Amino acid sequence: MSGRLLRNAVLADEENDLFPASLLDRLPNQRQENGLLVRPLRCTDYDKGFIQLLSQLTDVGPIGRDQFLSRFYSMKSVGGYYVVVVEDLDLEKVIGSSTLVVEQKFIHNCALKGRLEDVVVNTSYRGKQLGKLLVTTIAQLAKRLQCYKLSLDCRDPLIPFYESLGFRREPGNANAMNIRIETATEQSRL
Ligand SMILES: CC(C)(COP(=O)(O)OP(=O)(O)OC[C@H]1O[C@@H](n2cnc3c(N)ncnc32)[C@H](O)[C@@H]1OP(=O)(O)O)[C@@H](O)C(=O)NCCC(=O)NCCS
């Protein structure tokens, strides 16, 4: 590929990526699998099975391409959303995903706090250390972005998984509490 074509290809990727791919460069302890690529979510991932992958985590709903793109560009323009995916390059399919959301605070001298969200690996690829790769990538990215803390909520059976990756339940500070709110979107789906 000529220099100009290569530069155009890089620019096209930057436009398509949710966040700059360079943020994932040279993260420590990264293991690049054969034929698998760890990269930012791209606007083209609707056609690579991203929504079907998320449906292995929870109810996603009948999201069309326009809805996906509208949310993608909203996340990109607001900033602070880092959806990291694993693509199987042979199948051109997204087979793993996890998200870092960076919250801007006033406390702690205008600190940044990270939240780990929506970790999922396609059932056919589980048990190959990809969940671990995704979570460690997010933890390293949070560190690179200078978050002072990375938090998550999880179901009880997953506590050992996250503990094995360095997360700790802090004594006296390990309760997740929620108010479930019935939104207009949910009502219209019923
Ligand atoms: C949880 C999930 C992401 C793990 O992905 P995975 O690719 O199968 O996990 P890995 O192969 O990277 O496992 C890494 C280690 O964690 C362990 N582990 C994986 N799932 C575990 C679980 N549910 N409980 C305890 N340990 C677990 C593995 O045994 C492995 O240990 P090892 O390093 O000693 O071999 C995957 O099972 C999944 O997508 N589940 C459905 C969605 C979900 O529940 N996501 C979490 C939302 S909080």
Side-chain angles (χ1 to χ4, degrees):
M1 201 184 280
S2 78
R4 202 168 116 207
L5 281 178
L6 185 63
R7 204 177 65 240
N8 287 346
V10 170
L11 283 179
D13 272 353
E14 274 174 17
E15 278 168 25
N16 291 342
D17 287 343
L18 181 62
F19 63 90
S22 55
L23 282 173
L24 300 178
D25 284 351
R26 294 184 298 278
L27 287 176
N29 309 319
Q30 284 294 299
R31 217 164 36 91
Q32 201 65 45
E33 303 284 332
N34 255 353
L36 298 179
L37 176 67
V38 179
R39 60 166 174 79
L41 180 71
R42 285 189 189 138
C43 59
T44 45
D45 285 336
Y46 184 84
D47 295 313
K48 293 194 173 182
F50 177 65
I51 300 298
Q52 288 86 338
L53 173 70
L54 288 185
S55 71
Q56 293 185 15
L57 172 70
T58 187
D59 174 43
V60 184
I63 296 180
R65 181 183 281 96
D66 287 352
Q67 221 179 337
F68 166 78
L69 287 175
S70 157
R71 179 49 49 92
F72 178 92
Y73 287 114
S74 164
M75 285 177 167
K76 188 167 166 139
S77 66
V78 168
Y81 290 90
Y82 301 85
V83 182
V84 174
V85 301
V86 181
E87 177 180 354
D88 183 324
L89 294 169
D90 292 334
L91 300 181
E92 298 190 353
K93 208 171 153 193
V94 174
I95 54 93
S97 180
S98 60
T99 298
L100 169 66
V101 182
V102 176
E103 186 187 346
Q104 299 191 44
K105 309 283 243 183
F106 286 112
I107 61 168
H108 302 316
N109 201 18
C110 289
L112 298 174
K113 179 183 164 192
R115 281 200 57 80
L116 172 64
E117 296 281 345
D118 303 341
V119 182
V120 60
V121 172
N122 181 310
T123 45
S124 317
Y125 293 78
R126 287 186 194 163
K128 298 176 191 291
Q129 308 283 301
L130 293 176
K132 189 174 179 177
L133 176 70
L134 280 163
V135 174
T136 53
T137 300
I138 293 290
Q140 290 160 3
L141 182 57
K143 190 173 176 194
R144 178 166 280 183
L145 295 169
Q146 308 211 312
C147 294
Y148 77 100
K149 174 158 104 172
L150 179 62
S151 310
L152 63 83
D153 288 337
C154 73
R155 289 175 290 110
D156 292 349
L158 281 162
I159 291 172
F161 172 67
Y162 288 114
E163 280 184 339
S164 76
L165 297 172
F167 288 86
R168 295 284 169 263
R169 283 174 291 168
E170 296 172 350
N173 188 24
N175 302 297
M177 297 178 76
N178 308 299
I179 293 179
R180 298 278 175 181
I181 300 169
E182 203 169 286
T183 62
T185 323
E186 276 166 358
Q187 273 171 341
S188 67
R189 239 189 272 139
L190 295 175

